[in-house]
Amino acid sequence: MRSSIFGNLDAQPLPPGFALENHKMLRVQLPHEVLAKQGSMVAFQGRMDFDYEGSGGLGKLLKKAMTGEGASLMRVRGEGLLFLADNADDIHLFYLENEGLTVNGRNLLAFQPQLTWDIQRVQGAGVAAGGLFNTTVTGTGWVAVTTHGTPVLLDVARMPTFADGQSAVCWSTGLQVGVNRTMKVGALIGRGSGEAMQLAFRGQGFVLVQASEGAPIVANSGKS
């Protein structure tokens, strides 16, 4: 698996298709199709059609309704250059080679249409972690994900790795995932809510961890 996080992006240009215009904007070269998060188009040059992609079947629709996981997608067809972004978040590219990536649905920006996706429960982190569900993308092709702030890419093979469930953006599907509880009563080690519980990762692969629990959701106060 290759990642845009490694090395100097200017010194190592990415192949045609997906490329970073800068760290906050993705450039996609068509005529190939692309699946992208609805509302992520900021500009395009050429001729393009934008269609609602739907959930990809009744099973995925039910999973999305029950879990709240999975980004609303659009399918873009045409010819030219497409520019995608999401709330000025940082963008990172992964090239899968017959591999899988587990992604938090709100962090999934775009991926190539030959990849398959589904909504799955994170094995080993079900009820204890609040019934954690993520989007799994598998196959061969490019995937673009966003992070709120500059992330760190952790090599799980080096040692057991732990992360806040909302800060862990994506990870290799081959990893063993469980829950780690801090036994000390009253421990406040998580960001934001202070949970004494984290996702635990073991095996061969990586975890991408963002610098926060994500952009805050601002509720409508209802004031006139």
Side-chain angles (χ1 to χ4, degrees), residues 67-132:
T67 65
E69 170 62 24
S72 296
L73 299 174
M74 61 182 179
R75 184 178 293 267
V76 186
R77 302 180 179 91
E79 185 173 355
L81 294 176
L82 171 67
F83 298 89
L84 303 173
D86 188 21
N87 199 34
D89 283 347
D90 288 352
I91 300 174
H92 311 279
L93 297 180
F94 294 93
Y95 186 75
L96 307 182
E97 298 181 273
N98 196 26
E99 299 169 284
L101 189 68
T102 295
V103 188
N104 187 320
R106 65 182 179 178
N107 297 97
L108 182 60
L109 179 65
F111 57 95
Q112 292 184 309
Q114 68 268 25
L115 295 168
T116 60
W117 66 277
D118 198 1
I119 298 171
Q120 296 181 349
R121 189 180 71 178
V122 177
Q123 297 298 321
V127 176
L132 182 62

Side-chain angles (χ1 to χ4, degrees), residues 195-216:
E195 302 92 345
M197 182 175 66
Q198 312 88 42
L199 292 179
F201 301 92
R202 289 177 173 82
Q204 299 291 324
F206 70 87
V207 181
L208 182 67
V209 182
Q210 64 185 1
S212 75
E213 291 188 333

Side-chain angles (χ1 to χ4, degrees), residues 220-224:
N220 190 332
S221 64
K223 294 181 179 181
S224 58

Side-chain angles (χ1 to χ4, degrees), residues 105-165:
R106 65 182 179 178
N107 297 97
L108 182 60
L109 179 65
F111 57 95
Q112 292 184 309
Q114 68 268 25
L115 295 168
T116 60
W117 66 277
D118 198 1
I119 298 171
Q120 296 181 349
R121 189 180 71 178
V122 177
Q123 297 298 321
V127 176
L132 182 62
F133 289 82
N134 270 1
T135 301
T136 300
V137 183
T138 57
T140 298
W142 287 103
V143 182
V145 302
T146 61
T147 64
H148 189 61
T150 303
V152 60
L153 191 71
L154 302 177
D155 183 1
V156 179
R158 297 182 59 186
M159 63 187 70
T161 302
F162 308 90
D164 182 283

